[in-house]
Amino acid sequence: MAELLSHKGNPNDDLADAVAAARARIEAAGPQYGGREQLLADLEVWQRCDLGRWMLVHGGWNASWTRYCVGYDPAAPSANTVEHFFLSQSPAVVATRQRSRIFAEVLGDLVGPGTVAMSVPCGLMDALIRLPSAAAAEVLIGLDLDAEALAGAAGNAAESGLGNVCLARGDAWEPQSAQVVTGDPAVYARGIAGGVDVLTSNGLNIYVTDDADVVELYRGYRRVLRRGGTAVISAVTTQDEWDLSDVPKADSRRALGLTLINNVQWTNYRSVDLTSAQLTAAGFEVTEVRFDERRIFPTFIATAV
């Protein structure tokens, strides 16, 4: 599955074409997305900010925009009202920010002296590199298909003063075929040959439609983990499992309308039971599920058996 899934990778896509396509989606939209007037108004403002232009053209976040969105401070002033709404009130984005904090807590307990930890896809690799215990790990391995993400991860490691980072470019389903771009290829080879203690994956599954492909992805994770190792994985639950009791209906509709405007790629939802069953089928035992406040983007902690 050697293609970028989280965002379209063509840098030559035209913003005017993307806006026209968004307008066409609005014209065809059902009432669940809100009123046409609100959708068009949001599109007009959204295309005036850098994040809006990126998402309209690319349909998702790259590594840098993921960091921006996860690190966004809802209390900070914003020049763009739609961006502020999207990042501070959209339930899925708020859940993503909470999920990031949960990952930091879980991984902080798992990564320590002598740990071999791996992130797939790694993006800028903040989930591991920013841990207080990162320098104590034996090696932090990152795998990603996006060359820009890997360059950013290498810079992130250098800024943090870490010399124990190994980065490879390749497909998450075929880690053995990846090309090491930073670090020692022998270290990478030992890791993916069943030498990984902790593996983190922050939602690649939400871009994958076929359930069989998701199970095969998890089986690949199991192969790189030693027996008794731990996988820390997130997945977006089905909307009937979300707790939006504190979210005004108008905000829910507006947030859904923005997913329509951007034609986002992260729309493959799976129940908690289904994700647990998929992990079990791949050779894991789910030991804990930690939820964000609205039960949208839970973290599954699973042991390789």
Side-chain angles (χ1 to χ4, degrees), residues 245-284:
S245 56
D246 65 332
V247 180
K249 290 184 178 180
D251 286 357
S252 292
R253 282 194 300 269
R254 189 180 183 190
L256 186 62
L258 285 169
T259 68
L260 172 79
I261 286 170
N262 292 294
N263 195 27
V264 295
Q265 310 299 303
W266 60 69
T267 54
N268 294 289
Y269 308 139
R270 293 179 172 90
S271 69
V272 170
D273 287 345
L274 177 55
T275 294
S276 296
Q278 290 175 330
L279 286 164
T280 299
F284 289 97

PDB file of all heavy atoms in Angstrom, residues 245-284:
ATOM      1  N   SER A 245     -22.799  14.908  24.313  1.00  0.00           N
ATOM      2  CA  SER A 245     -23.862  15.516  25.116  1.00  0.00           C
ATOM      3  C   SER A 245     -23.555  16.957  25.498  1.00  0.00           C
ATOM      4  O   SER A 245     -24.473  17.739  25.770  1.00  0.00           O
ATOM      5  CB  SER A 245     -24.105  14.685  26.373  1.00  0.00           C
ATOM      6  OG  SER A 245     -22.914  14.530  27.135  1.00  0.00           O
ATOM      7  N   ASP A 246     -22.256  17.318  25.518  1.00  0.00           N
ATOM      8  CA  ASP A 246     -21.887  18.689  25.886  1.00  0.00           C
ATOM      9  C   ASP A 246     -21.627  19.570  24.670  1.00  0.00           C
ATOM     10  O   ASP A 246     -21.201  20.723  24.818  1.00  0.00           O
ATOM     11  CB  ASP A 246     -20.648  18.676  26.778  1.00  0.00           C
ATOM     12  CG  ASP A 246     -19.404  18.163  26.055  1.00  0.00           C
ATOM     13  OD1 ASP A 246     -19.561  17.358  25.108  1.00  0.00           O
ATOM     14  OD2 ASP A 246     -18.286  18.564  26.433  1.00  0.00           O
ATOM     15  N   VAL A 247     -21.876  19.039  23.469  1.00  0.00           N
ATOM     16  CA  VAL A 247     -21.593  19.785  22.242  1.00  0.00           C
ATOM     17  C   VAL A 247     -22.908  20.287  21.640  1.00  0.00           C
ATOM     18  O   VAL A 247     -23.800  19.480  21.338  1.00  0.00           O
ATOM     19  CB  VAL A 247     -20.857  18.908  21.208  1.00  0.00           C
ATOM     20  CG1 VAL A 247     -20.573  19.708  19.933  1.00  0.00           C
ATOM     21  CG2 VAL A 247     -19.576  18.347  21.799  1.00  0.00           C
ATOM     22  N   PRO A 248     -23.069  21.591  21.453  1.00  0.00           N
ATOM     23  CA  PRO A 248     -24.283  22.093  20.805  1.00  0.00           C
ATOM     24  C   PRO A 248     -24.462  21.468  19.419  1.00  0.00           C
ATOM     25  O   PRO A 248     -23.487  21.268  18.690  1.00  0.00           O
ATOM     26  CB  PRO A 248     -24.037  23.606  20.700  1.00  0.00           C
ATOM     27  CG  PRO A 248     -23.027  23.897  21.772  1.00  0.00           C
ATOM     28  CD  PRO A 248     -22.154  22.686  21.849  1.00  0.00           C
ATOM     29  N   LYS A 249     -25.686  21.156  19.071  1.00  0.00           N
ATOM     30  CA  LYS A 249     -25.949  20.506  17.783  1.00  0.00           C
ATOM     31  C   LYS A 249     -25.463  21.358  16.612  1.00  0.00           C
ATOM     32  O   LYS A 249     -24.992  20.821  15.603  1.00  0.00           O
ATOM     33  CB  LYS A 249     -27.443  20.200  17.642  1.00  0.00           C
ATOM     34  CG  LYS A 249     -27.917  19.090  18.563  1.00  0.00           C
ATOM     35  CD  LYS A 249     -29.380  18.752  18.320  1.00  0.00           C
ATOM     36  CE  LYS A 249     -29.831  17.608  19.223  1.00  0.00           C
ATOM     37  NZ  LYS A 249     -31.262  17.257  19.019  1.00  0.00           N
ATOM     38  N   ALA A 250     -25.561  22.661  16.753  1.00  0.00           N
ATOM     39  CA  ALA A 250     -25.095  23.541  15.677  1.00  0.00           C
ATOM     40  C   ALA A 250     -23.591  23.389  15.475  1.00  0.00           C
ATOM     41  O   ALA A 250     -23.096  23.414  14.336  1.00  0.00           O
ATOM     42  CB  ALA A 250     -25.445  24.989  15.990  1.00  0.00           C
ATOM     43  N   ASP A 251     -22.848  23.198  16.564  1.00  0.00           N
ATOM     44  CA  ASP A 251     -21.400  23.009  16.451  1.00  0.00           C
ATOM     45  C   ASP A 251     -21.074  21.663  15.809  1.00  0.00           C
ATOM     46  O   ASP A 251     -20.137  21.565  15.006  1.00  0.00           O
ATOM     47  CB  ASP A 251     -20.739  23.090  17.834  1.00  0.00           C
ATOM     48  CG  ASP A 251     -20.666  24.519  18.356  1.00  0.00           C
ATOM     49  OD1 ASP A 251     -21.066  25.441  17.621  1.00  0.00           O
ATOM     50  OD2 ASP A 251     -20.199  24.700  19.497  1.00  0.00           O
ATOM     51  N   SER A 252     -21.837  20.644  16.159  1.00  0.00           N
ATOM     52  CA  SER A 252     -21.621  19.325  15.547  1.00  0.00           C
ATOM     53  C   SER A 252     -21.849  19.376  14.046  1.00  0.00           C
ATOM     54  O   SER A 252     -21.068  18.826  13.264  1.00  0.00           O
ATOM     55  CB  SER A 252     -22.548  18.283  16.180  1.00  0.00           C
ATOM     56  OG  SER A 252     -22.210  18.040  17.511  1.00  0.00           O
ATOM     57  N   ARG A 253     -22.928  20.039  13.641  1.00  0.00           N
ATOM     58  CA  ARG A 253     -23.216  20.164  12.212  1.00  0.00           C
ATOM     59  C   ARG A 253     -22.136  20.980  11.509  1.00  0.00           C
ATOM     60  O   ARG A 253     -21.722  20.645  10.396  1.00  0.00           O
ATOM     61  CB  ARG A 253     -24.595  20.800  11.993  1.00  0.00           C
ATOM     62  CG  ARG A 253     -25.759  19.860  12.202  1.00  0.00           C
ATOM     63  CD  ARG A 253     -27.050  20.438  11.645  1.00  0.00           C
ATOM     64  NE  ARG A 253     -27.383  21.702  12.296  1.00  0.00           N
ATOM     65  CZ  ARG A 253     -28.144  21.796  13.387  1.00  0.00           C
ATOM     66  NH1 ARG A 253     -28.618  20.709  13.962  1.00  0.00           N
ATOM     67  NH2 ARG A 253     -28.420  22.979  13.905  1.00  0.00           N
ATOM     68  N   ARG A 254     -21.697  22.039  12.152  1.00  0.00           N
ATOM     69  CA  ARG A 254     -20.676  22.890  11.526  1.00  0.00           C
ATOM     70  C   ARG A 254     -19.363  22.123  11.373  1.00  0.00           C
ATOM     71  O   ARG A 254     -18.688  22.222  10.339  1.00  0.00           O
ATOM     72  CB  ARG A 254     -20.461  24.148  12.356  1.00  0.00           C
ATOM     73  CG  ARG A 254     -19.589  25.183  11.663  1.00  0.00           C
ATOM     74  CD  ARG A 254     -19.408  26.418  12.519  1.00  0.00           C
ATOM     75  NE  ARG A 254     -18.626  27.433  11.816  1.00  0.00           N
ATOM     76  CZ  ARG A 254     -18.147  28.528  12.392  1.00  0.00           C
ATOM     77  NH1 ARG A 254     -18.380  28.757  13.689  1.00  0.00           N
ATOM     78  NH2 ARG A 254     -17.429  29.396  11.690  1.00  0.00           N
ATOM     79  N   ALA A 255     -18.986  21.354  12.391  1.00  0.00           N
ATOM     80  CA  ALA A 255     -17.772  20.554  12.308  1.00  0.00           C
ATOM     81  C   ALA A 255     -17.890  19.511  11.205  1.00  0.00           C
ATOM     82  O   ALA A 255     -16.943  19.291  10.435  1.00  0.00           O
ATOM     83  CB  ALA A 255     -17.499  19.879  13.647  1.00  0.00           C
ATOM     84  N   LEU A 256     -19.054  18.890  11.091  1.00  0.00           N
ATOM     85  CA  LEU A 256     -19.263  17.920  10.014  1.00  0.00           C
ATOM     86  C   LEU A 256     -19.195  18.609   8.661  1.00  0.00           C
ATOM     87  O   LEU A 256     -18.654  18.063   7.686  1.00  0.00           O
ATOM     88  CB  LEU A 256     -20.614  17.225  10.205  1.00  0.00           C
ATOM     89  CG  LEU A 256     -20.928  16.077   9.247  1.00  0.00           C
ATOM     90  CD1 LEU A 256     -19.914  14.947   9.410  1.00  0.00           C
ATOM     91  CD2 LEU A 256     -22.353  15.565   9.491  1.00  0.00           C
ATOM     92  N   GLY A 257     -19.723  19.831   8.599  1.00  0.00           N
ATOM     93  CA  GLY A 257     -19.653  20.586   7.358  1.00  0.00           C
ATOM     94  C   GLY A 257     -18.219  20.869   6.934  1.00  0.00           C
ATOM     95  O   GLY A 257     -17.901  20.839   5.740  1.00  0.00           O
ATOM     96  N   LEU A 258     -17.338  21.084   7.887  1.00  0.00           N
ATOM     97  CA  LEU A 258     -15.932  21.329   7.545  1.00  0.00           C
ATOM     98  C   LEU A 258     -15.249  20.067   7.028  1.00  0.00           C
ATOM     99  O   LEU A 258     -14.349  20.143   6.192  1.00  0.00           O
ATOM    100  CB  LEU A 258     -15.190  21.898   8.751  1.00  0.00           C
ATOM    101  CG  LEU A 258     -15.498  23.371   9.037  1.00  0.00           C
ATOM    102  CD1 LEU A 258     -14.942  23.790  10.388  1.00  0.00           C
ATOM    103  CD2 LEU A 258     -14.935  24.265   7.933  1.00  0.00           C
ATOM    104  N   THR A 259     -15.674  18.902   7.508  1.00  0.00           N
ATOM    105  CA  THR A 259     -15.113  17.674   6.935  1.00  0.00           C
ATOM    106  C   THR A 259     -15.558  17.528   5.476  1.00  0.00           C
ATOM    107  O   THR A 259     -14.800  17.041   4.639  1.00  0.00           O
ATOM    108  CB  THR A 259     -15.538  16.422   7.729  1.00  0.00           C
ATOM    109  OG1 THR A 259     -16.942  16.188   7.581  1.00  0.00           O
ATOM    110  CG2 THR A 259     -15.192  16.559   9.192  1.00  0.00           C
ATOM    111  N   LEU A 260     -16.791  17.959   5.190  1.00  0.00           N
ATOM    112  CA  LEU A 260     -17.268  17.945   3.805  1.00  0.00           C
ATOM    113  C   LEU A 260     -16.489  18.944   2.955  1.00  0.00           C
ATOM    114  O   LEU A 260     -16.031  18.620   1.843  1.00  0.00           O
ATOM    115  CB  LEU A 260     -18.752  18.291   3.776  1.00  0.00           C
ATOM    116  CG  LEU A 260     -19.357  18.494   2.379  1.00  0.00           C
ATOM    117  CD1 LEU A 260     -19.644  17.158   1.735  1.00  0.00           C
ATOM    118  CD2 LEU A 260     -20.626  19.344   2.465  1.00  0.00           C
ATOM    119  N   ILE A 261     -16.309  20.147   3.449  1.00  0.00           N
ATOM    120  CA  ILE A 261     -15.600  21.186   2.712  1.00  0.00           C
ATOM    121  C   ILE A 261     -14.195  20.723   2.343  1.00  0.00           C
ATOM    122  O   ILE A 261     -13.722  20.912   1.222  1.00  0.00           O
ATOM    123  CB  ILE A 261     -15.547  22.487   3.543  1.00  0.00           C
ATOM    124  CG1 ILE A 261     -16.940  23.153   3.546  1.00  0.00           C
ATOM    125  CG2 ILE A 261     -14.491  23.458   3.011  1.00  0.00           C
ATOM    126  CD1 ILE A 261     -17.063  24.308   4.521  1.00  0.00           C
ATOM    127  N   ASN A 262     -13.531  20.076   3.301  1.00  0.00           N
ATOM    128  CA  ASN A 262     -12.137  19.663   3.086  1.00  0.00           C
ATOM    129  C   ASN A 262     -11.997  18.294   2.450  1.00  0.00           C
ATOM    130  O   ASN A 262     -10.880  17.896   2.104  1.00  0.00           O
ATOM    131  CB  ASN A 262     -11.396  19.684   4.427  1.00  0.00           C
ATOM    132  CG  ASN A 262     -11.214  21.082   4.955  1.00  0.00           C
ATOM    133  OD1 ASN A 262     -10.501  21.887   4.366  1.00  0.00           O
ATOM    134  ND2 ASN A 262     -11.870  21.394   6.059  1.00  0.00           N
ATOM    135  N   ASN A 263     -13.114  17.573   2.327  1.00  0.00           N
ATOM    136  CA  ASN A 263     -13.064  16.221   1.757  1.00  0.00           C
ATOM    137  C   ASN A 263     -11.998  15.383   2.465  1.00  0.00           C
ATOM    138  O   ASN A 263     -11.153  14.734   1.840  1.00  0.00           O
ATOM    139  CB  ASN A 263     -12.774  16.290   0.257  1.00  0.00           C
ATOM    140  CG  ASN A 263     -13.080  14.973  -0.450  1.00  0.00           C
ATOM    141  OD1 ASN A 263     -13.929  14.195  -0.013  1.00  0.00           O
ATOM    142  ND2 ASN A 263     -12.401  14.718  -1.558  1.00  0.00           N
ATOM    143  N   VAL A 264     -12.040  15.400   3.813  1.00  0.00           N
ATOM    144  CA  VAL A 264     -10.986  14.780   4.606  1.00  0.00           C
ATOM    145  C   VAL A 264     -10.927  13.273   4.392  1.00  0.00           C
ATOM    146  O   VAL A 264     -11.929  12.627   4.085  1.00  0.00           O
ATOM    147  CB  VAL A 264     -11.139  15.094   6.105  1.00  0.00           C
ATOM    148  CG1 VAL A 264     -10.965  16.572   6.373  1.00  0.00           C
ATOM    149  CG2 VAL A 264     -12.476  14.589   6.634  1.00  0.00           C
ATOM    150  N   GLN A 265      -9.720  12.738   4.601  1.00  0.00           N
ATOM    151  CA  GLN A 265      -9.467  11.327   4.341  1.00  0.00           C
ATOM    152  C   GLN A 265      -9.727  10.449   5.569  1.00  0.00           C
ATOM    153  O   GLN A 265      -9.775   9.230   5.455  1.00  0.00           O
ATOM    154  CB  GLN A 265      -8.003  11.151   3.902  1.00  0.00           C
ATOM    155  CG  GLN A 265      -7.566  12.096   2.790  1.00  0.00           C
ATOM    156  CD  GLN A 265      -8.363  11.910   1.507  1.00  0.00           C
ATOM    157  OE1 GLN A 265      -8.403  10.817   0.956  1.00  0.00           O
ATOM    158  NE2 GLN A 265      -8.997  12.965   1.049  1.00  0.00           N
ATOM    159  N   TRP A 266      -9.847  11.050   6.765  1.00  0.00           N
ATOM    160  CA  TRP A 266      -9.915  10.241   7.988  1.00  0.00           C
ATOM    161  C   TRP A 266     -11.349   9.851   8.347  1.00  0.00           C
ATOM    162  O   TRP A 266     -11.875  10.165   9.404  1.00  0.00           O
ATOM    163  CB  TRP A 266      -9.252  10.976   9.166  1.00  0.00           C
ATOM    164  CG  TRP A 266      -9.840  12.303   9.538  1.00  0.00           C
ATOM    165  CD1 TRP A 266     -11.056  12.549  10.106  1.00  0.00           C
ATOM    166  CD2 TRP A 266      -9.209  13.581   9.401  1.00  0.00           C
ATOM    167  NE1 TRP A 266     -11.236  13.886  10.328  1.00  0.00           N
ATOM    168  CE2 TRP A 266     -10.123  14.554   9.910  1.00  0.00           C
ATOM    169  CE3 TRP A 266      -7.970  14.009   8.914  1.00  0.00           C
ATOM    170  CZ2 TRP A 266      -9.821  15.913   9.932  1.00  0.00           C
ATOM    171  CZ3 TRP A 266      -7.681  15.363   8.942  1.00  0.00           C
ATOM    172  CH2 TRP A 266      -8.599  16.295   9.446  1.00  0.00           C
ATOM    173  N   THR A 267     -12.016   9.122   7.507  1.00  0.00           N
ATOM    174  CA  THR A 267     -13.428   8.832   7.718  1.00  0.00           C
ATOM    175  C   THR A 267     -13.726   7.343   7.860  1.00  0.00           C
ATOM    176  O   THR A 267     -14.851   6.910   7.622  1.00  0.00           O
ATOM    177  CB  THR A 267     -14.255   9.395   6.548  1.00  0.00           C
ATOM    178  OG1 THR A 267     -13.722   8.900   5.315  1.00  0.00           O
ATOM    179  CG2 THR A 267     -14.225  10.909   6.539  1.00  0.00           C
ATOM    180  N   ASN A 268     -12.736   6.545   8.236  1.00  0.00           N
ATOM    181  CA  ASN A 268     -12.969   5.121   8.439  1.00  0.00           C
ATOM    182  C   ASN A 268     -13.092   4.853   9.938  1.00  0.00           C
ATOM    183  O   ASN A 268     -12.101   4.756  10.656  1.00  0.00           O
ATOM    184  CB  ASN A 268     -11.822   4.311   7.833  1.00  0.00           C
ATOM    185  CG  ASN A 268     -11.782   4.451   6.323  1.00  0.00           C
ATOM    186  OD1 ASN A 268     -12.643   3.940   5.620  1.00  0.00           O
ATOM    187  ND2 ASN A 268     -10.794   5.178   5.821  1.00  0.00           N
ATOM    188  N   TYR A 269     -14.346   4.783  10.389  1.00  0.00           N
ATOM    189  CA  TYR A 269     -14.623   4.638  11.806  1.00  0.00           C
ATOM    190  C   TYR A 269     -14.819   3.157  12.141  1.00  0.00           C
ATOM    191  O   TYR A 269     -15.421   2.404  11.373  1.00  0.00           O
ATOM    192  CB  TYR A 269     -15.897   5.406  12.191  1.00  0.00           C
ATOM    193  CG  TYR A 269     -15.912   6.849  11.747  1.00  0.00           C
ATOM    194  CD1 TYR A 269     -17.068   7.420  11.226  1.00  0.00           C
ATOM    195  CD2 TYR A 269     -14.777   7.642  11.858  1.00  0.00           C
ATOM    196  CE1 TYR A 269     -17.103   8.753  10.830  1.00  0.00           C
ATOM    197  CE2 TYR A 269     -14.800   8.976  11.466  1.00  0.00           C
ATOM    198  CZ  TYR A 269     -15.960   9.525  10.954  1.00  0.00           C
ATOM    199  OH  TYR A 269     -15.988  10.840  10.558  1.00  0.00           O
ATOM    200  N   ARG A 270     -14.343   2.754  13.320  1.00  0.00           N
ATOM    201  CA  ARG A 270     -14.510   1.363  13.765  1.00  0.00           C
ATOM    202  C   ARG A 270     -14.871   1.352  15.250  1.00  0.00           C
ATOM    203  O   ARG A 270     -14.308   2.104  16.036  1.00  0.00           O
ATOM    204  CB  ARG A 270     -13.226   0.559  13.507  1.00  0.00           C
ATOM    205  CG  ARG A 270     -12.946   0.380  12.021  1.00  0.00           C
ATOM    206  CD  ARG A 270     -11.664  -0.389  11.731  1.00  0.00           C
ATOM    207  NE  ARG A 270     -11.592  -0.681  10.291  1.00  0.00           N
ATOM    208  CZ  ARG A 270     -11.018   0.128   9.381  1.00  0.00           C
ATOM    209  NH1 ARG A 270     -10.455   1.260   9.775  1.00  0.00           N
ATOM    210  NH2 ARG A 270     -11.019  -0.212   8.106  1.00  0.00           N
ATOM    211  N   SER A 271     -15.779   0.476  15.608  1.00  0.00           N
ATOM    212  CA  SER A 271     -16.196   0.372  17.000  1.00  0.00           C
ATOM    213  C   SER A 271     -15.031  -0.095  17.868  1.00  0.00           C
ATOM    214  O   SER A 271     -14.060  -0.689  17.377  1.00  0.00           O
ATOM    215  CB  SER A 271     -17.367  -0.602  17.136  1.00  0.00           C
ATOM    216  OG  SER A 271     -16.927  -1.923  16.882  1.00  0.00           O
ATOM    217  N   VAL A 272     -15.138   0.159  19.152  1.00  0.00           N
ATOM    218  CA  VAL A 272     -14.136  -0.322  20.096  1.00  0.00           C
ATOM    219  C   VAL A 272     -14.032  -1.839  20.015  1.00  0.00           C
ATOM    220  O   VAL A 272     -12.928  -2.395  20.010  1.00  0.00           O
ATOM    221  CB  VAL A 272     -14.492   0.127  21.532  1.00  0.00           C
ATOM    222  CG1 VAL A 272     -13.595  -0.559  22.556  1.00  0.00           C
ATOM    223  CG2 VAL A 272     -14.373   1.639  21.655  1.00  0.00           C
ATOM    224  N   ASP A 273     -15.173  -2.501  19.923  1.00  0.00           N
ATOM    225  CA  ASP A 273     -15.164  -3.966  19.845  1.00  0.00           C
ATOM    226  C   ASP A 273     -14.471  -4.456  18.585  1.00  0.00           C
ATOM    227  O   ASP A 273     -13.719  -5.442  18.622  1.00  0.00           O
ATOM    228  CB  ASP A 273     -16.595  -4.515  19.891  1.00  0.00           C
ATOM    229  CG  ASP A 273     -17.217  -4.399  21.279  1.00  0.00           C
ATOM    230  OD1 ASP A 273     -16.466  -4.169  22.246  1.00  0.00           O
ATOM    231  OD2 ASP A 273     -18.452  -4.538  21.378  1.00  0.00           O
ATOM    232  N   LEU A 274     -14.699  -3.775  17.455  1.00  0.00           N
ATOM    233  CA  LEU A 274     -14.078  -4.212  16.212  1.00  0.00           C
ATOM    234  C   LEU A 274     -12.565  -4.020  16.271  1.00  0.00           C
ATOM    235  O   LEU A 274     -11.802  -4.925  15.891  1.00  0.00           O
ATOM    236  CB  LEU A 274     -14.659  -3.442  15.023  1.00  0.00           C
ATOM    237  CG  LEU A 274     -14.030  -3.760  13.661  1.00  0.00           C
ATOM    238  CD1 LEU A 274     -14.092  -5.257  13.354  1.00  0.00           C
ATOM    239  CD2 LEU A 274     -14.688  -2.954  12.549  1.00  0.00           C
ATOM    240  N   THR A 275     -12.102  -2.868  16.735  1.00  0.00           N
ATOM    241  CA  THR A 275     -10.655  -2.649  16.831  1.00  0.00           C
ATOM    242  C   THR A 275     -10.021  -3.666  17.769  1.00  0.00           C
ATOM    243  O   THR A 275      -8.948  -4.215  17.484  1.00  0.00           O
ATOM    244  CB  THR A 275     -10.355  -1.221  17.293  1.00  0.00           C
ATOM    245  OG1 THR A 275     -10.791  -0.304  16.281  1.00  0.00           O
ATOM    246  CG2 THR A 275      -8.866  -1.011  17.531  1.00  0.00           C
ATOM    247  N   SER A 276     -10.681  -3.942  18.888  1.00  0.00           N
ATOM    248  CA  SER A 276     -10.156  -4.935  19.826  1.00  0.00           C
ATOM    249  C   SER A 276     -10.075  -6.302  19.160  1.00  0.00           C
ATOM    250  O   SER A 276      -9.079  -7.030  19.317  1.00  0.00           O
ATOM    251  CB  SER A 276     -11.038  -4.999  21.076  1.00  0.00           C
ATOM    252  OG  SER A 276     -11.008  -3.777  21.777  1.00  0.00           O
ATOM    253  N   ALA A 277     -11.109  -6.662  18.397  1.00  0.00           N
ATOM    254  CA  ALA A 277     -11.122  -7.961  17.713  1.00  0.00           C
ATOM    255  C   ALA A 277     -10.033  -8.022  16.642  1.00  0.00           C
ATOM    256  O   ALA A 277      -9.393  -9.071  16.449  1.00  0.00           O
ATOM    257  CB  ALA A 277     -12.492  -8.209  17.092  1.00  0.00           C
ATOM    258  N   GLN A 278      -9.812  -6.915  15.944  1.00  0.00           N
ATOM    259  CA  GLN A 278      -8.762  -6.881  14.924  1.00  0.00           C
ATOM    260  C   GLN A 278      -7.386  -7.055  15.546  1.00  0.00           C
ATOM    261  O   GLN A 278      -6.527  -7.774  15.017  1.00  0.00           O
ATOM    262  CB  GLN A 278      -8.852  -5.579  14.129  1.00  0.00           C
ATOM    263  CG  GLN A 278     -10.069  -5.508  13.232  1.00  0.00           C
ATOM    264  CD  GLN A 278     -10.203  -4.172  12.536  1.00  0.00           C
ATOM    265  OE1 GLN A 278      -9.789  -3.133  13.065  1.00  0.00           O
ATOM    266  NE2 GLN A 278     -10.781  -4.168  11.352  1.00  0.00           N
ATOM    267  N   LEU A 279      -7.153  -6.407  16.668  1.00  0.00           N
ATOM    268  CA  LEU A 279      -5.877  -6.560  17.354  1.00  0.00           C
ATOM    269  C   LEU A 279      -5.696  -7.992  17.860  1.00  0.00           C
ATOM    270  O   LEU A 279      -4.606  -8.569  17.763  1.00  0.00           O
ATOM    271  CB  LEU A 279      -5.779  -5.560  18.509  1.00  0.00           C
ATOM    272  CG  LEU A 279      -5.529  -4.109  18.088  1.00  0.00           C
ATOM    273  CD1 LEU A 279      -5.830  -3.147  19.238  1.00  0.00           C
ATOM    274  CD2 LEU A 279      -4.091  -3.928  17.608  1.00  0.00           C
ATOM    275  N   THR A 280      -6.757  -8.568  18.369  1.00  0.00           N
ATOM    276  CA  THR A 280      -6.693  -9.958  18.836  1.00  0.00           C
ATOM    277  C   THR A 280      -6.365 -10.898  17.681  1.00  0.00           C
ATOM    278  O   THR A 280      -5.521 -11.799  17.809  1.00  0.00           O
ATOM    279  CB  THR A 280      -8.022 -10.359  19.490  1.00  0.00           C
ATOM    280  OG1 THR A 280      -8.269  -9.510  20.622  1.00  0.00           O
ATOM    281  CG2 THR A 280      -7.989 -11.813  19.949  1.00  0.00           C
ATOM    282  N   ALA A 281      -7.006 -10.685  16.537  1.00  0.00           N
ATOM    283  CA  ALA A 281      -6.755 -11.529  15.366  1.00  0.00           C
ATOM    284  C   ALA A 281      -5.323 -11.408  14.878  1.00  0.00           C
ATOM    285  O   ALA A 281      -4.784 -12.343  14.266  1.00  0.00           O
ATOM    286  CB  ALA A 281      -7.725 -11.153  14.239  1.00  0.00           C
ATOM    287  N   ALA A 282      -4.691 -10.280  15.159  1.00  0.00           N
ATOM    288  CA  ALA A 282      -3.319 -10.044  14.702  1.00  0.00           C
ATOM    289  C   ALA A 282      -2.269 -10.535  15.697  1.00  0.00           C
ATOM    290  O   ALA A 282      -1.072 -10.425  15.427  1.00  0.00           O
ATOM    291  CB  ALA A 282      -3.121  -8.558  14.436  1.00  0.00           C
ATOM    292  N   GLY A 283      -2.715 -11.066  16.840  1.00  0.00           N
ATOM    293  CA  GLY A 283      -1.751 -11.612  17.791  1.00  0.00           C
ATOM    294  C   GLY A 283      -1.500 -10.751  19.010  1.00  0.00           C
ATOM    295  O   GLY A 283      -0.444 -10.864  19.641  1.00  0.00           O
ATOM    296  N   PHE A 284      -2.489  -9.922  19.372  1.00  0.00           N
ATOM    297  CA  PHE A 284      -2.362  -9.060  20.543  1.00  0.00           C
ATOM    298  C   PHE A 284      -3.436  -9.400  21.574  1.00  0.00           C
ATOM    299  O   PHE A 284      -4.501  -9.934  21.241  1.00  0.00           O
ATOM    300  CB  PHE A 284      -2.527  -7.590  20.158  1.00  0.00           C
ATOM    301  CG  PHE A 284      -1.389  -7.015  19.365  1.00  0.00           C
ATOM    302  CD1 PHE A 284      -1.443  -6.944  17.977  1.00  0.00           C
ATOM    303  CD2 PHE A 284      -0.262  -6.535  20.011  1.00  0.00           C
ATOM    304  CE1 PHE A 284      -0.397  -6.408  17.248  1.00  0.00           C
ATOM    305  CE2 PHE A 284       0.794  -5.993  19.293  1.00  0.00           C
ATOM    306  CZ  PHE A 284       0.730  -5.930  17.913  1.00  0.00           C
TER     307      PHE A 284
END
